[in-house]
Amino acid sequence: QVQLVESGGGLVQPGESLRLSCAATGMIFRLYPMDWYRQPPGKQRELVATITSGGSTSYADSAKGRFTISRDNAKNTVYLQMNNLKREDTAVYYCHAKLGLRGDYWGQGTQVTVSS
């Protein structure tokens, strides 16, 4: 059974940093790309960052230069380092795995609130 558990969210002021973690179980973690999505209140869920099984990364324009996605296959964990946070980064952040025919799996989400 695939399970993704996020942690690390919280309340921060604009300009501050936060690191999110997502621990995966029930899958051969190293074989799959991992994503971070976010969903602001009242808005659609959007892709923030992706890391492939080989470690290549890509980012939404809004995250580029501020966010870094990384993974530690030995710990079955994917991270999202978020620097210079802005009010518009406020959202529930989800980690995601697409396991081919097994479908899509999501974490429970972790709230990030950026407010002064």
Side-chain angles (χ1 to χ4, degrees), residues 81-106:
Q81 177 68 43
M82 304 185 293
N83 297 327
N84 190 25
L85 283 161
K86 304 175 180 179
R87 293 182 65 88
E88 51 263 44
D89 296 319
T90 296
V92 178
Y93 284 71
Y94 300 90
C95 64
H96 167 260
K98 186 175 183 179
L99 276 61
L101 295 178
R102 294 181 69 188
D104 295 275
Y105 293 88
W106 300 88

PDB file of all heavy atoms in Angstrom, residues 81-106:
ATOM      1  N   GLN A  81      12.716  22.569  -0.657  1.00  0.00           N
ATOM      2  CA  GLN A  81      13.270  23.720   0.039  1.00  0.00           C
ATOM      3  C   GLN A  81      12.684  24.974  -0.580  1.00  0.00           C
ATOM      4  O   GLN A  81      12.814  25.197  -1.784  1.00  0.00           O
ATOM      5  CB  GLN A  81      14.794  23.740  -0.078  1.00  0.00           C
ATOM      6  CG  GLN A  81      15.459  24.950   0.556  1.00  0.00           C
ATOM      7  CD  GLN A  81      15.349  24.957   2.062  1.00  0.00           C
ATOM      8  OE1 GLN A  81      15.537  23.929   2.700  1.00  0.00           O
ATOM      9  NE2 GLN A  81      15.019  26.103   2.633  1.00  0.00           N
ATOM     10  N   MET A  82      12.045  25.784   0.234  1.00  0.00           N
ATOM     11  CA  MET A  82      11.380  26.988  -0.239  1.00  0.00           C
ATOM     12  C   MET A  82      12.024  28.193   0.417  1.00  0.00           C
ATOM     13  O   MET A  82      11.965  28.349   1.639  1.00  0.00           O
ATOM     14  CB  MET A  82       9.883  26.942   0.074  1.00  0.00           C
ATOM     15  CG  MET A  82       9.178  25.719  -0.491  1.00  0.00           C
ATOM     16  SD  MET A  82       7.384  25.754  -0.228  1.00  0.00           S
ATOM     17  CE  MET A  82       7.333  25.600   1.555  1.00  0.00           C
ATOM     18  N   ASN A  83      12.631  29.033  -0.401  1.00  0.00           N
ATOM     19  CA  ASN A  83      13.284  30.240   0.081  1.00  0.00           C
ATOM     20  C   ASN A  83      12.546  31.476  -0.409  1.00  0.00           C
ATOM     21  O   ASN A  83      11.814  31.432  -1.399  1.00  0.00           O
ATOM     22  CB  ASN A  83      14.733  30.292  -0.395  1.00  0.00           C
ATOM     23  CG  ASN A  83      15.571  29.161   0.144  1.00  0.00           C
ATOM     24  OD1 ASN A  83      15.357  28.682   1.257  1.00  0.00           O
ATOM     25  ND2 ASN A  83      16.555  28.725  -0.639  1.00  0.00           N
ATOM     26  N   ASN A  84      12.772  32.572   0.279  1.00  0.00           N
ATOM     27  CA  ASN A  84      12.159  33.848  -0.085  1.00  0.00           C
ATOM     28  C   ASN A  84      10.661  33.697  -0.331  1.00  0.00           C
ATOM     29  O   ASN A  84      10.128  34.091  -1.367  1.00  0.00           O
ATOM     30  CB  ASN A  84      12.848  34.432  -1.319  1.00  0.00           C
ATOM     31  CG  ASN A  84      12.436  35.853  -1.604  1.00  0.00           C
ATOM     32  OD1 ASN A  84      12.007  36.587  -0.708  1.00  0.00           O
ATOM     33  ND2 ASN A  84      12.547  36.261  -2.869  1.00  0.00           N
ATOM     34  N   LEU A  85       9.987  33.133   0.640  1.00  0.00           N
ATOM     35  CA  LEU A  85       8.565  32.862   0.488  1.00  0.00           C
ATOM     36  C   LEU A  85       7.757  34.143   0.363  1.00  0.00           C
ATOM     37  O   LEU A  85       8.064  35.160   0.987  1.00  0.00           O
ATOM     38  CB  LEU A  85       8.067  32.032   1.660  1.00  0.00           C
ATOM     39  CG  LEU A  85       8.458  30.553   1.568  1.00  0.00           C
ATOM     40  CD1 LEU A  85       8.370  29.887   2.931  1.00  0.00           C
ATOM     41  CD2 LEU A  85       7.567  29.834   0.557  1.00  0.00           C
ATOM     42  N   LYS A  86       6.739  34.077  -0.463  1.00  0.00           N
ATOM     43  CA  LYS A  86       5.847  35.191  -0.726  1.00  0.00           C
ATOM     44  C   LYS A  86       4.436  34.841  -0.280  1.00  0.00           C
ATOM     45  O   LYS A  86       4.094  33.666  -0.123  1.00  0.00           O
ATOM     46  CB  LYS A  86       5.846  35.522  -2.221  1.00  0.00           C
ATOM     47  CG  LYS A  86       7.220  35.813  -2.788  1.00  0.00           C
ATOM     48  CD  LYS A  86       7.165  36.004  -4.294  1.00  0.00           C
ATOM     49  CE  LYS A  86       8.533  36.300  -4.857  1.00  0.00           C
ATOM     50  NZ  LYS A  86       8.494  36.471  -6.332  1.00  0.00           N
ATOM     51  N   ARG A  87       3.620  35.859  -0.088  1.00  0.00           N
ATOM     52  CA  ARG A  87       2.243  35.628   0.336  1.00  0.00           C
ATOM     53  C   ARG A  87       1.514  34.711  -0.634  1.00  0.00           C
ATOM     54  O   ARG A  87       0.691  33.885  -0.215  1.00  0.00           O
ATOM     55  CB  ARG A  87       1.489  36.952   0.473  1.00  0.00           C
ATOM     56  CG  ARG A  87       2.007  37.826   1.601  1.00  0.00           C
ATOM     57  CD  ARG A  87       1.208  39.107   1.727  1.00  0.00           C
ATOM     58  NE  ARG A  87      -0.168  38.870   2.113  1.00  0.00           N
ATOM     59  CZ  ARG A  87      -0.593  38.786   3.372  1.00  0.00           C
ATOM     60  NH1 ARG A  87       0.265  38.938   4.381  1.00  0.00           N
ATOM     61  NH2 ARG A  87      -1.870  38.550   3.623  1.00  0.00           N
ATOM     62  N   GLU A  88       1.809  34.826  -1.913  1.00  0.00           N
ATOM     63  CA  GLU A  88       1.140  34.002  -2.905  1.00  0.00           C
ATOM     64  C   GLU A  88       1.574  32.540  -2.879  1.00  0.00           C
ATOM     65  O   GLU A  88       1.006  31.714  -3.596  1.00  0.00           O
ATOM     66  CB  GLU A  88       1.321  34.581  -4.315  1.00  0.00           C
ATOM     67  CG  GLU A  88       2.760  34.889  -4.656  1.00  0.00           C
ATOM     68  CD  GLU A  88       3.125  36.351  -4.439  1.00  0.00           C
ATOM     69  OE1 GLU A  88       2.746  36.920  -3.401  1.00  0.00           O
ATOM     70  OE2 GLU A  88       3.799  36.928  -5.324  1.00  0.00           O
ATOM     71  N   ASP A  89       2.577  32.216  -2.073  1.00  0.00           N
ATOM     72  CA  ASP A  89       2.958  30.821  -1.878  1.00  0.00           C
ATOM     73  C   ASP A  89       2.060  30.101  -0.877  1.00  0.00           C
ATOM     74  O   ASP A  89       2.178  28.884  -0.711  1.00  0.00           O
ATOM     75  CB  ASP A  89       4.412  30.716  -1.407  1.00  0.00           C
ATOM     76  CG  ASP A  89       5.402  31.215  -2.439  1.00  0.00           C
ATOM     77  OD1 ASP A  89       5.216  30.926  -3.639  1.00  0.00           O
ATOM     78  OD2 ASP A  89       6.370  31.892  -2.047  1.00  0.00           O
ATOM     79  N   THR A  90       1.207  30.837  -0.204  1.00  0.00           N
ATOM     80  CA  THR A  90       0.295  30.238   0.759  1.00  0.00           C
ATOM     81  C   THR A  90      -0.596  29.205   0.075  1.00  0.00           C
ATOM     82  O   THR A  90      -1.281  29.508  -0.903  1.00  0.00           O
ATOM     83  CB  THR A  90      -0.575  31.304   1.431  1.00  0.00           C
ATOM     84  OG1 THR A  90       0.260  32.179   2.199  1.00  0.00           O
ATOM     85  CG2 THR A  90      -1.605  30.671   2.356  1.00  0.00           C
ATOM     86  N   ALA A  91      -0.576  27.985   0.584  1.00  0.00           N
ATOM     87  CA  ALA A  91      -1.317  26.891  -0.030  1.00  0.00           C
ATOM     88  C   ALA A  91      -1.144  25.643   0.818  1.00  0.00           C
ATOM     89  O   ALA A  91      -0.296  25.589   1.713  1.00  0.00           O
ATOM     90  CB  ALA A  91      -0.812  26.619  -1.454  1.00  0.00           C
ATOM     91  N   VAL A  92      -1.943  24.638   0.511  1.00  0.00           N
ATOM     92  CA  VAL A  92      -1.669  23.298   0.987  1.00  0.00           C
ATOM     93  C   VAL A  92      -0.742  22.644  -0.027  1.00  0.00           C
ATOM     94  O   VAL A  92      -1.035  22.633  -1.227  1.00  0.00           O
ATOM     95  CB  VAL A  92      -2.946  22.469   1.161  1.00  0.00           C
ATOM     96  CG1 VAL A  92      -2.608  21.054   1.622  1.00  0.00           C
ATOM     97  CG2 VAL A  92      -3.880  23.139   2.163  1.00  0.00           C
ATOM     98  N   TYR A  93       0.362  22.128   0.454  1.00  0.00           N
ATOM     99  CA  TYR A  93       1.354  21.500  -0.405  1.00  0.00           C
ATOM    100  C   TYR A  93       1.252  19.989  -0.307  1.00  0.00           C
ATOM    101  O   TYR A  93       1.175  19.430   0.787  1.00  0.00           O
ATOM    102  CB  TYR A  93       2.762  21.955  -0.016  1.00  0.00           C
ATOM    103  CG  TYR A  93       3.071  23.355  -0.491  1.00  0.00           C
ATOM    104  CD1 TYR A  93       2.469  24.451   0.100  1.00  0.00           C
ATOM    105  CD2 TYR A  93       3.955  23.581  -1.551  1.00  0.00           C
ATOM    106  CE1 TYR A  93       2.730  25.741  -0.345  1.00  0.00           C
ATOM    107  CE2 TYR A  93       4.220  24.859  -1.996  1.00  0.00           C
ATOM    108  CZ  TYR A  93       3.609  25.940  -1.396  1.00  0.00           C
ATOM    109  OH  TYR A  93       3.873  27.216  -1.845  1.00  0.00           O
ATOM    110  N   TYR A  94       1.259  19.345  -1.461  1.00  0.00           N
ATOM    111  CA  TYR A  94       1.105  17.903  -1.554  1.00  0.00           C
ATOM    112  C   TYR A  94       2.277  17.282  -2.300  1.00  0.00           C
ATOM    113  O   TYR A  94       2.702  17.804  -3.339  1.00  0.00           O
ATOM    114  CB  TYR A  94      -0.160  17.536  -2.331  1.00  0.00           C
ATOM    115  CG  TYR A  94      -1.449  18.032  -1.748  1.00  0.00           C
ATOM    116  CD1 TYR A  94      -1.961  19.272  -2.103  1.00  0.00           C
ATOM    117  CD2 TYR A  94      -2.173  17.243  -0.858  1.00  0.00           C
ATOM    118  CE1 TYR A  94      -3.162  19.723  -1.585  1.00  0.00           C
ATOM    119  CE2 TYR A  94      -3.370  17.686  -0.332  1.00  0.00           C
ATOM    120  CZ  TYR A  94      -3.860  18.923  -0.703  1.00  0.00           C
ATOM    121  OH  TYR A  94      -5.056  19.364  -0.193  1.00  0.00           O
ATOM    122  N   CYS A  95       2.770  16.171  -1.815  1.00  0.00           N
ATOM    123  CA  CYS A  95       3.671  15.392  -2.645  1.00  0.00           C
ATOM    124  C   CYS A  95       2.864  14.367  -3.422  1.00  0.00           C
ATOM    125  O   CYS A  95       1.758  13.974  -3.026  1.00  0.00           O
ATOM    126  CB  CYS A  95       4.792  14.735  -1.833  1.00  0.00           C
ATOM    127  SG  CYS A  95       4.268  13.514  -0.617  1.00  0.00           S
ATOM    128  N   HIS A  96       3.416  13.947  -4.541  1.00  0.00           N
ATOM    129  CA  HIS A  96       2.682  13.141  -5.491  1.00  0.00           C
ATOM    130  C   HIS A  96       3.612  12.155  -6.169  1.00  0.00           C
ATOM    131  O   HIS A  96       4.754  12.481  -6.495  1.00  0.00           O
ATOM    132  CB  HIS A  96       2.036  14.060  -6.538  1.00  0.00           C
ATOM    133  CG  HIS A  96       1.518  13.356  -7.746  1.00  0.00           C
ATOM    134  ND1 HIS A  96       2.223  13.326  -8.943  1.00  0.00           N
ATOM    135  CD2 HIS A  96       0.368  12.668  -7.956  1.00  0.00           C
ATOM    136  CE1 HIS A  96       1.515  12.644  -9.832  1.00  0.00           C
ATOM    137  NE2 HIS A  96       0.394  12.240  -9.256  1.00  0.00           N
ATOM    138  N   ALA A  97       3.096  10.955  -6.386  1.00  0.00           N
ATOM    139  CA  ALA A  97       3.799   9.943  -7.160  1.00  0.00           C
ATOM    140  C   ALA A  97       2.847   9.361  -8.181  1.00  0.00           C
ATOM    141  O   ALA A  97       1.707   9.013  -7.852  1.00  0.00           O
ATOM    142  CB  ALA A  97       4.330   8.838  -6.254  1.00  0.00           C
ATOM    143  N   LYS A  98       3.299   9.270  -9.413  1.00  0.00           N
ATOM    144  CA  LYS A  98       2.531   8.612 -10.464  1.00  0.00           C
ATOM    145  C   LYS A  98       3.202   7.286 -10.760  1.00  0.00           C
ATOM    146  O   LYS A  98       4.300   7.245 -11.307  1.00  0.00           O
ATOM    147  CB  LYS A  98       2.453   9.483 -11.717  1.00  0.00           C
ATOM    148  CG  LYS A  98       1.540   8.915 -12.792  1.00  0.00           C
ATOM    149  CD  LYS A  98       1.400   9.875 -13.960  1.00  0.00           C
ATOM    150  CE  LYS A  98       0.426   9.335 -14.993  1.00  0.00           C
ATOM    151  NZ  LYS A  98       0.264  10.272 -16.127  1.00  0.00           N
ATOM    152  N   LEU A  99       2.503   6.218 -10.401  1.00  0.00           N
ATOM    153  CA  LEU A  99       3.090   4.887 -10.484  1.00  0.00           C
ATOM    154  C   LEU A  99       2.593   4.133 -11.707  1.00  0.00           C
ATOM    155  O   LEU A  99       2.196   2.963 -11.621  1.00  0.00           O
ATOM    156  CB  LEU A  99       2.812   4.100  -9.206  1.00  0.00           C
ATOM    157  CG  LEU A  99       3.751   4.322  -8.023  1.00  0.00           C
ATOM    158  CD1 LEU A  99       3.742   5.770  -7.557  1.00  0.00           C
ATOM    159  CD2 LEU A  99       3.398   3.393  -6.878  1.00  0.00           C
ATOM    160  N   GLY A 100       2.614   4.769 -12.850  1.00  0.00           N
ATOM    161  CA  GLY A 100       2.172   4.130 -14.070  1.00  0.00           C
ATOM    162  C   GLY A 100       0.755   3.606 -13.943  1.00  0.00           C
ATOM    163  O   GLY A 100      -0.161   4.336 -13.551  1.00  0.00           O
ATOM    164  N   LEU A 101       0.565   2.333 -14.234  1.00  0.00           N
ATOM    165  CA  LEU A 101      -0.763   1.727 -14.182  1.00  0.00           C
ATOM    166  C   LEU A 101      -1.324   1.617 -12.765  1.00  0.00           C
ATOM    167  O   LEU A 101      -2.527   1.387 -12.612  1.00  0.00           O
ATOM    168  CB  LEU A 101      -0.747   0.355 -14.849  1.00  0.00           C
ATOM    169  CG  LEU A 101      -0.458   0.348 -16.353  1.00  0.00           C
ATOM    170  CD1 LEU A 101      -0.425  -1.075 -16.874  1.00  0.00           C
ATOM    171  CD2 LEU A 101      -1.499   1.168 -17.103  1.00  0.00           C
ATOM    172  N   ARG A 102      -0.492   1.770 -11.770  1.00  0.00           N
ATOM    173  CA  ARG A 102      -0.982   1.762 -10.392  1.00  0.00           C
ATOM    174  C   ARG A 102      -1.690   3.054 -10.035  1.00  0.00           C
ATOM    175  O   ARG A 102      -2.369   3.125  -9.009  1.00  0.00           O
ATOM    176  CB  ARG A 102       0.153   1.505  -9.411  1.00  0.00           C
ATOM    177  CG  ARG A 102       0.765   0.124  -9.514  1.00  0.00           C
ATOM    178  CD  ARG A 102       1.859  -0.061  -8.484  1.00  0.00           C
ATOM    179  NE  ARG A 102       1.337  -0.107  -7.128  1.00  0.00           N
ATOM    180  CZ  ARG A 102       2.097  -0.108  -6.041  1.00  0.00           C
ATOM    181  NH1 ARG A 102       3.426  -0.067  -6.155  1.00  0.00           N
ATOM    182  NH2 ARG A 102       1.537  -0.152  -4.837  1.00  0.00           N
ATOM    183  N   GLY A 103      -1.538   4.059 -10.866  1.00  0.00           N
ATOM    184  CA  GLY A 103      -2.246   5.298 -10.652  1.00  0.00           C
ATOM    185  C   GLY A 103      -1.455   6.342  -9.905  1.00  0.00           C
ATOM    186  O   GLY A 103      -0.243   6.226  -9.722  1.00  0.00           O
ATOM    187  N   ASP A 104      -2.185   7.377  -9.479  1.00  0.00           N
ATOM    188  CA  ASP A 104      -1.600   8.503  -8.783  1.00  0.00           C
ATOM    189  C   ASP A 104      -1.809   8.398  -7.284  1.00  0.00           C
ATOM    190  O   ASP A 104      -2.884   8.011  -6.819  1.00  0.00           O
ATOM    191  CB  ASP A 104      -2.229   9.805  -9.277  1.00  0.00           C
ATOM    192  CG  ASP A 104      -1.918  10.068 -10.733  1.00  0.00           C
ATOM    193  OD1 ASP A 104      -0.844  10.633 -11.006  1.00  0.00           O
ATOM    194  OD2 ASP A 104      -2.756   9.722 -11.588  1.00  0.00           O
ATOM    195  N   TYR A 105      -0.787   8.778  -6.540  1.00  0.00           N
ATOM    196  CA  TYR A 105      -0.860   8.761  -5.087  1.00  0.00           C
ATOM    197  C   TYR A 105      -0.462  10.114  -4.539  1.00  0.00           C
ATOM    198  O   TYR A 105       0.466  10.760  -5.034  1.00  0.00           O
ATOM    199  CB  TYR A 105       0.033   7.657  -4.518  1.00  0.00           C
ATOM    200  CG  TYR A 105      -0.482   6.291  -4.874  1.00  0.00           C
ATOM    201  CD1 TYR A 105      -0.105   5.683  -6.071  1.00  0.00           C
ATOM    202  CD2 TYR A 105      -1.374   5.627  -4.039  1.00  0.00           C
ATOM    203  CE1 TYR A 105      -0.601   4.441  -6.420  1.00  0.00           C
ATOM    204  CE2 TYR A 105      -1.869   4.380  -4.387  1.00  0.00           C
ATOM    205  CZ  TYR A 105      -1.479   3.795  -5.577  1.00  0.00           C
ATOM    206  OH  TYR A 105      -1.978   2.564  -5.919  1.00  0.00           O
ATOM    207  N   TRP A 106      -1.186  10.527  -3.514  1.00  0.00           N
ATOM    208  CA  TRP A 106      -1.018  11.836  -2.913  1.00  0.00           C
ATOM    209  C   TRP A 106      -0.813  11.734  -1.418  1.00  0.00           C
ATOM    210  O   TRP A 106      -1.384  10.863  -0.755  1.00  0.00           O
ATOM    211  CB  TRP A 106      -2.259  12.703  -3.159  1.00  0.00           C
ATOM    212  CG  TRP A 106      -2.553  12.937  -4.605  1.00  0.00           C
ATOM    213  CD1 TRP A 106      -3.311  12.158  -5.429  1.00  0.00           C
ATOM    214  CD2 TRP A 106      -2.091  14.031  -5.394  1.00  0.00           C
ATOM    215  NE1 TRP A 106      -3.352  12.693  -6.687  1.00  0.00           N
ATOM    216  CE2 TRP A 106      -2.614  13.841  -6.697  1.00  0.00           C
ATOM    217  CE3 TRP A 106      -1.297  15.145  -5.137  1.00  0.00           C
ATOM    218  CZ2 TRP A 106      -2.358  14.739  -7.728  1.00  0.00           C
ATOM    219  CZ3 TRP A 106      -1.044  16.031  -6.163  1.00  0.00           C
ATOM    220  CH2 TRP A 106      -1.574  15.828  -7.438  1.00  0.00           C
TER     221      TRP A 106
END
